[in-house]
């Protein structure tokens, strides 16, 4: 129920961001884009209405069995993981692919480790991180001829 | 296209190409045998690596990986009761009881035999059905292409398990994203949000990588290992004698494997029905026609054979509408569609005439991958599966992430594509939390531009007073409208039939 309401709201907001950007130069251009935007927003509205109606029928009681099946990612772990990746990407431009990737890989292995941490474990993770990063760098630069940024190592 | 057979065989049987088939099949097997990693995710990760390859090598690698991944899904289903891919759900019904009864080796041999048979039937259908269908596509005009895209979008009905509205919202959002960039008719720039990098549109491959990998990795985070169950100890199989005996038994009554392969292929050709529906329908058909239906669910090898033959039949069958009409039947086909575009190839008749050598090499390589699954599965499978399910998550997640980042970057040597991948990943997570399915969005991304171009051109070419009538005047258009309606109803009917059969027999 609440997911339906939020899902509908999400769709309408998403479409709204595009709607305010409309700047067609001909009727033909609008003949496809506008119906797509309108129909998607209408479906979002329908989903919201369905969610509200179901909620009203339940008298505001929390959803139980009828809530759609599925599993959510661990919120805290997801945020941490996205934060590390969010730093990793600009890090590639700043310090180069090898250094940024080594640090991000090591940060992720440390962050995702379950159980007690030790210096020995950190050294082992660092060796794995270095090996993976060097292998990927070699594969792309030497074999696939993709120029990965080297940063200050250049 | 068969005129190109000599050239295709020559290319395929070169040492380099054979190595690509072998490595990609093993890689696909490893991905498929890891619960949580899907064939779609594996293909999305491989696509950027194919940029540096020539068209044939890249497509051969993708086709082999796809085949190997679907087959690999059978191993955790049989050994630990955890399907590696959604297509292997029915494999676990009898595969795991066989393992518990000490017959894991026989189940693996049965799955391997069936995967080879099903895979080859699917590839045969692809080989012989695609060229005439592609010739038919030659007579398509803008209106027909519009309806083809609509037909493809009706696949959403079967991709959106649970709520049709949510599926169509997701598809609509994909079509909205596909609006970004230069309009196909008129050429004006729209919806770029002032970002000049978006003038060429939102890059498709980084979107796919982000949508399919980042949410799965986030779900994996928090677990210490991929699976908590332990593999059973290597049984005292008796080695070659069990192989000979089991294979001999299967070869003496190949009916289930052949029938299930055909069912899987036909269901694969129907856009959207997919491997999970095919394996369930085939499983139920095998049980219905069996002389000993009471043994199904308790360790009947025909149950494993039916499921595995069907889901591998879907691989070839699903590529028929993709290669001929540009309509991806399932998410993995959508990734292969992206790879085709990257290589400058467009689905349709030209793929089978001008690019006949390449297309035939691709199709035949999938047959070779199907055959290669036999030695890989029987001699390497158990050890490889044991290795992959034991890779610690803290290494697996950064390992896959580094592949996604470099893969996205490699497309245009531009960090903007990595940001697009990252943003698509966050979008995928949000959609997952809101229970909006991701697969229909990919269809919207692919089919949106085809629909827009078809509609705009049809309206321009139509009668001035009533341009919309141009969409409904041609018999081909009417036929496609009927097909679209059927495609809405058939997967729903097949799914309902398979679930009713499963429930009624429980």
């Amino acid at each position: 129920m609440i997911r339906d309401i939020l899902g509908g709201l999400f769709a309408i907001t998403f479409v709204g961001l595009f709607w305010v950007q409309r700047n067609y130069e001909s009727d033909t251009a609008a003949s496809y884009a506008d119906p797509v935007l309108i129909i998607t927003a209408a479906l979002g509205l329908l989903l919201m209405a369905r969610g509200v109606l179901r909620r009203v029928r339940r008298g505001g009681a929390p959803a139980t069995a009828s809530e759609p099946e599925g599993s959510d990612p661990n919120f805290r772990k997801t945020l941490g993981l996205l934060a590390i990746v969010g730093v990793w990407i600009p890090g590639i431009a700043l310090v180069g692919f090898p250094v940024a990737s080594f640090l991000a890989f090591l940060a992720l292995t440390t962050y995702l480790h379950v159980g007690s941490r030790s210096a020995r474990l950190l050294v082992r993770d660092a060796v794995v991180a270095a090996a993976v990063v060097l292998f990927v760098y070699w594969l792309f630069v030497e074999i696939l001829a993709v120029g990965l940024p080297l940063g200050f190592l250049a | 296209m068969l005129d190109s057979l000599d050239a295709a065989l020559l290319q395929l049987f070169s040492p380099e190409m054979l190595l690509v088939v072998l490595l990609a099949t093993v890689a696909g097997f490893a991905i498929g045998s890891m619960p949580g990693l899907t064939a779609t995710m594996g293909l999305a990760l491989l696509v950027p690596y194919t940029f540096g390859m020539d068209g044939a090598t890249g497509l051969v690698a993708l086709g082999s990986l796809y085949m190997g991944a679907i087959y690999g899904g059978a191993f955790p289903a049989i050994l630990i009761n955890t399907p590696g891919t959604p297509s292997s759900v029915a494999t676990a019904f009898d595969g795991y009881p066989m393992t518990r009864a000490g017959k894991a080796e026989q189940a693996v041999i049965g799955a391997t035999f069936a995967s080879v048979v099903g895979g080859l039937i699917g590839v045969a259908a692809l080989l012989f059905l695609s060229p005439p269908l592609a010739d038919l596509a030659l007579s398509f005009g803008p209106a027909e292409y519009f309806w083809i895209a609509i037909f493809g979008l009706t696949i959403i009905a079967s991709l959106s398990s649970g709520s049709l509205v949510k599926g169509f919202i997701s598809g609509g959002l994909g079509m909205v994203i596909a609006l970004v960039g230069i309009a196909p008719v008129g050429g004006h720039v729209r919806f770029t949000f002032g970002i000049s990098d978006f003038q060429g549109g939102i890059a498709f491959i980084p979107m796919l990588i982000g949508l399919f990998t980042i949410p799965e990795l986030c779900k994996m985070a928090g677990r210490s290992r991929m699976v908590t169950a332990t593999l059973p100890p290597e049984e005292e199989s008796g080695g070659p004698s069990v192989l000979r005996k089991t294979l001999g038994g299967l070869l003496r009554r190949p009916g289930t494997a052949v029938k299930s392969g055909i069912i899987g292929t036909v269901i694969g050709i129907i856009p959207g029905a997919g491997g999970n529906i095919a394996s369930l329908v085939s499983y139920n058909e095998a049980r219905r026609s069996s002389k000993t239906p009471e043994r199904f669910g308790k360790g009947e090898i025909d149950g494993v054979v039916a499921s595995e033959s069907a889901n591998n039949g879907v691989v070839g069958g699903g590529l028929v509408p993709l290669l001929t009409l540009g309509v991806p039947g399932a998410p993995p086909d959508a990734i292969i569609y992206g790879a085709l575009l990257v290589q400058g190839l467009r689905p349709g008749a030209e793929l089978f005439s001008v690019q006949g050598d390449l297309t035939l090499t691709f199709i035949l390589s999938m047959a070779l991958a199907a055959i290669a699954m036999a030695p890989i599965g029987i001699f390497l499978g158990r050890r490889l599966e044991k290795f992959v399910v034991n890779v610690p998550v803290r290494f697996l997640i950064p390992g896959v992430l580094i592949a996604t980042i470099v893969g996205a970057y490699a497309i245009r040597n531009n960090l903007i594509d990595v940001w697009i991948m990252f943003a698509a990943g966050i979008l995928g997570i949000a959609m997952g939390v809101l229970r909006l399915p991701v697969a229909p969005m990919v269809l919207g991304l692919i089919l949106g531009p085809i629909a827009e171009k078809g509609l705009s051109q049809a309206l321009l070419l139509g009668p001035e007073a009533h341009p919309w009538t141009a969409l409904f005047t041609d018999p081909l258009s009417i036929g496609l409208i009927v097909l679209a309606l059927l495609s809405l109803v058939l997967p729903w009917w097949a799914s309902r039939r398979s679930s009713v059969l499963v429930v009624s027999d429980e």
Side-chain angles (χ1 to χ4, degrees):
Chain A
M1 291 186 308
I2 190 71
R3 287 184 207 267
D4 283 356
I5 297 169
L6 291 174
L9 196 63
F10 173 78
I12 292 167
T13 311
F14 196 97
V15 170
L17 288 174
F18 279 75
W19 186 262
V20 296
Q21 292 267 318
R22 292 160 70 250
N23 61 338
Y24 308 127
E25 290 171 8
S26 68
D27 289 345
T28 314
S31 63
Y32 172 80
D34 277 358
V36 166
L37 292 169
I38 292 167
I39 291 170
T40 308
L43 286 167
L45 205 60
L46 184 67
L47 188 64
M48 271 181 79
R50 198 174 72 175
V52 171
L53 276 177
R54 283 184 179 173
R55 204 170 168 80
V56 168
R57 273 193 210 131
R58 282 174 183 277
T64 50
S66 69
E67 195 71 12
E69 290 292 320
S71 62
D72 287 330
N74 178 310
F75 186 67
R76 193 177 59 84
K77 287 280 183 189
T78 298
L79 271 185
L81 193 142
L82 292 178
I84 294 173
V85 178
V87 175
W88 186 352
I89 300 169
I92 293 172
L94 289 173
V95 295
F97 172 79
V99 173
S101 299
F102 171 77
L103 292 174
F105 197 111
L106 192 59
L108 281 167
T109 53
T110 308
Y111 177 66
L112 295 169
H113 178 71
V114 179
S116 59
R117 295 179 176 84
S118 65
R120 193 175 163 184
L121 193 77
L122 190 68
V123 171
R124 198 174 70 182
D125 288 357
V127 171
V128 173
V132 172
V133 170
L134 286 175
F135 172 75
V136 171
Y137 186 81
W138 169 81
L139 181 69
F140 272 83
V141 174
E142 299 296 329
I143 306 294
L144 300 172
V146 174
L148 293 170
L150 258 179
F152 62 83
L153 295 176
Chain B
M1 184 181 71
L2 293 176
D3 306 340
S4 313
L5 191 63
D6 287 351
L9 286 174
L10 205 66
Q11 191 171 16
L12 182 60
F13 284 98
S14 65
E16 298 84 16
M17 205 62 102
L18 289 175
L19 188 67
V20 167
V21 171
L22 192 69
L23 289 178
T25 310
V26 170
F29 178 89
I31 288 165
S33 65
M34 202 178 291
L37 300 191
T38 60
T40 311
M41 188 174 171
L43 286 167
L45 286 174
L46 180 65
V47 167
Y49 293 81
T50 62
F51 295 158
M53 306 173 185
D54 63 88
T57 312
L59 288 175
V60 164
L62 289 166
S64 304
L65 184 131
Y66 185 11
M67 196 66 99
I70 297 296
Y71 167 57
F75 276 70
I78 290 169
L79 298 174
I80 54 175
N81 203 24
T82 307
T85 59
S87 303
S88 305
V89 171
T91 309
F93 294 168
D94 282 282
Y96 188 61
M98 286 182 77
T99 296
R100 294 185 69 180
K103 292 180 181 171
E105 207 69 38
Q106 286 95 322
V108 165
I109 293 165
T112 307
F113 168 77
S115 297
V116 173
V117 172
L120 289 176
I121 290 172
V123 171
L126 181 60
L127 191 60
F128 295 110
L129 293 181
S130 296
L133 204 55
D135 284 342
L136 177 71
L138 271 179
S139 52
F140 285 4
E144 284 76 25
Y145 272 105
F146 171 73
W147 286 115
I148 274 287
I150 297 299
F151 169 48
L153 287 166
T154 58
I155 295 168
I156 288 170
S158 56
L159 288 179
S160 47
S161 56
S163 167
L164 201 62
V165 175
K166 287 184 176 181
F168 281 116
I169 285 178
S170 175
L173 293 178
M175 292 167 83
V176 168
I177 294 172
L179 290 172
V180 174
I182 298 168
V185 173
H188 72 277
V189 178
R190 72 244 164 118
F191 302 118
T192 58
F193 298 88
I195 301 169
S196 58
D197 283 308
F198 286 175
Q199 283 187 6
I202 301 279
F204 177 61
I205 302 289
M207 277 291 294
L208 286 184
I209 297 175
L211 282 171
F212 284 107
T213 54
I214 303 282
E216 288 305 321
L217 294 179
C218 289
K219 279 185 191 167
M220 274 184 212
R223 300 184 217 159
S224 58
R225 285 187 187 281
M226 287 302 299
V227 286
T228 50
T230 52
L231 286 165
E234 290 259 359
E235 62 183 331
E236 294 170 10
S237 62
S241 69
V242 167
L243 175 63
R244 206 168 39 240
K245 207 171 151 187
T246 312
L247 205 54
L250 291 166
L251 284 169
R252 273 194 296 277
R253 46 186 183 83
T256 305
V258 172
K259 187 169 67 178
S260 303
I262 293 169
I263 291 172
T265 303
V266 172
I267 291 179
I269 292 172
I270 300 168
N276 45 352
I277 290 176
S279 62
L280 282 169
V281 169
S282 293
Y283 180 85
N284 280 304
E285 174 54 26
R287 181 166 49 176
R288 191 196 60 77
S289 58
S290 171
K291 287 175 185 165
T292 53
E294 70 282 356
R295 281 165 49 184
F296 277 72
K298 296 170 187 162
E300 170 59 52
I301 195 166
D302 275 356
V304 175
V305 167
S307 167
E308 282 305 303
S309 183
N311 65 26
N312 276 279
V314 167
V315 175
L319 286 170
V320 174
L322 175 76
L323 297 188
T324 54
L325 305 171
V327 176
D333 301 322
I335 312 277
I336 293 177
Y337 178 84
L340 285 172
L341 295 186
V342 164
Q343 298 284 356
L345 305 166
R346 292 208 78 83
E350 201 176 290
L351 203 59
F352 293 87
S353 52
V354 181
Q355 306 285 348
D357 291 7
L358 184 149
T359 309
L360 199 55
T361 305
F362 171 51
I363 294 172
L364 292 176
S365 76
M366 293 182 68
L368 201 61
I371 295 166
M373 291 189 300
I376 290 168
I378 290 172
F379 300 112
L380 286 176
R382 227 180 130 76
R383 287 171 188 83
L384 195 59
E385 202 269 346
K386 192 171 181 175
F387 170 74
V388 294
V389 298
N390 281 304
V391 173
V393 163
R394 72 176 208 281
F395 291 139
L396 186 68
I397 290 176
V400 175
L401 271 173
I402 202 168
T404 61
I405 286 176
V406 180
Y409 179 84
I411 294 165
R412 291 186 295 188
N413 282 10
N414 192 337
L415 272 178
I416 187 79
D417 289 333
V418 185
W419 283 115
I420 289 173
M421 182 276 294
F422 186 53
I426 294 172
L427 181 65
I429 293 167
M431 289 175 70
V433 170
L434 297 170
R435 303 289 186 265
L436 293 170
V438 166
M441 174 176 268
V442 175
L443 276 181
L445 277 167
I446 292 174
L447 297 173
I450 298 173
E452 180 173 14
K453 194 174 171 187
L455 179 69
S456 306
Q457 288 181 343
L459 293 180
L460 285 173
L461 295 171
E464 204 171 328
H466 305 287
W468 289 92
T469 55
L471 294 171
F472 304 97
T473 47
D474 195 284
L476 265 173
S477 294
I478 305 294
L480 287 166
I481 294 168
V482 172
L483 265 180
L485 291 172
L486 280 177
S487 137
L488 267 176
V489 175
L490 278 180
W492 171 80
W493 175 80
S495 169
R496 191 178 163 83
R497 181 178 153 80
S498 62
S499 60
V500 165
L501 287 169
V502 168
V503 169
S504 65
D505 288 339
E506 269 173 1

